Amino acid sequence: NLDPPTCELIKRGTPTMGFALQYAAAPLQDNKVVVFAAVRQDGRAFQFASDSLKRDKEFVLAAVRQDGRALEFADDSLRADKEVVLAAVRQNGLVLELVLPHFKDDEEIVLTAVEQDERARKFAAPRFRGDKMGSTESLQHKTDMFREGSKKTL
């Protein structure tokens, strides 16, 4: 455990803190405060977190909500968890490139990703690419319908 002043200093972070995690001692790589501060700087720093944090669903959800790119380094069981994937693409639609193949064909995941960043469309399953999803306005309507519980298909 870290003393309160050290924790406060770490929480504030520095612009280069993210990747400094790779040089940290194992106890620091397992410390939620330290790792979250690093992820806040750069989601890819999550690759240097302990395996136990990479398996901790609550922590992984917090990490991907901060930076969706952290998903790439989460435990495989959580990369296969739809709630975690949705949180990641909601934060950064381009993370669709990193998701497991079956999620690239999941309507809710794809709509969420493309709503966040239109460029995510190129990482979706073929049925979602090109004009098949329609205009941005049409996509927004479909997203709204989906979120209202509609079972309409694209």
Side-chain angles (χ1 to χ4, degrees), residues 14 16 26 42 52 61 69 75 80 107 117 130 139:
T14 65
T16 59
D42 189 322
S52 66
L61 275 168
R69 297 175 298 174
D75 185 77
E107 184 175 18
D117 190 322
L139 176 62

Side-chain angles (χ1 to χ4, degrees), residues 4-149:
T6 303
C7 282
E8 189 56 38
L9 183 64
I10 289 169
K11 279 190 231 178
R12 285 190 211 141
T14 65
T16 59
M17 182 175 189
F19 277 90
L21 188 60
Q22 70 183 305
Y23 304 109
L28 292 176
Q29 293 176 338
D30 193 44
N31 183 292
K32 289 182 178 184
V33 173
V34 172
V35 174
F36 193 74
V39 169
R40 190 173 61 230
Q41 298 297 320
D42 189 322
R44 295 169 297 173
F46 194 52
Q47 68 188 294
F48 306 113
S50 69
D51 288 342
S52 66
L53 287 182
K54 291 176 182 178
R55 287 188 302 268
D56 182 325
K57 183 174 180 175
E58 286 184 34
F59 189 79
V60 170
L61 275 168
V64 300
R65 286 178 180 139
Q66 183 66 38
D67 189 328
R69 297 175 298 174
L71 178 68
E72 182 177 6
F73 307 104
D75 185 77
D76 287 347
S77 65
L78 295 176
R79 292 188 73 218
D81 185 299
K82 186 172 181 175
E83 180 183 7
V84 173
V85 173
L86 263 175
V89 298
R90 191 171 288 125
Q91 194 282 325
N92 180 345
L94 296 177
V95 169
L96 189 62
E97 179 179 19
L98 307 173
V99 304
L100 298 176
H102 69 279
F103 287 130
K104 294 179 184 203
D105 197 37
D106 181 290
E107 184 175 18
E108 184 178 13
I109 299 284
V110 172
L111 286 174
T112 301
V114 173
E115 179 183 49
Q116 199 284 324
D117 190 322
E118 176 67 27
R119 297 172 298 166
R121 186 186 299 223
K122 68 183 174 187
F123 303 119
R127 73 183 180 112
F128 294 112
R129 294 186 202 142
D131 292 334
K132 293 178 183 177
M133 287 180 79
S135 67
T136 302
E137 294 80 19
S138 175
L139 176 62
Q140 182 62 50
H141 176 72
K142 290 174 186 173
T143 302
D144 292 343
M145 296 285 287
F146 191 86
R147 291 210 169 112
E148 291 173 15

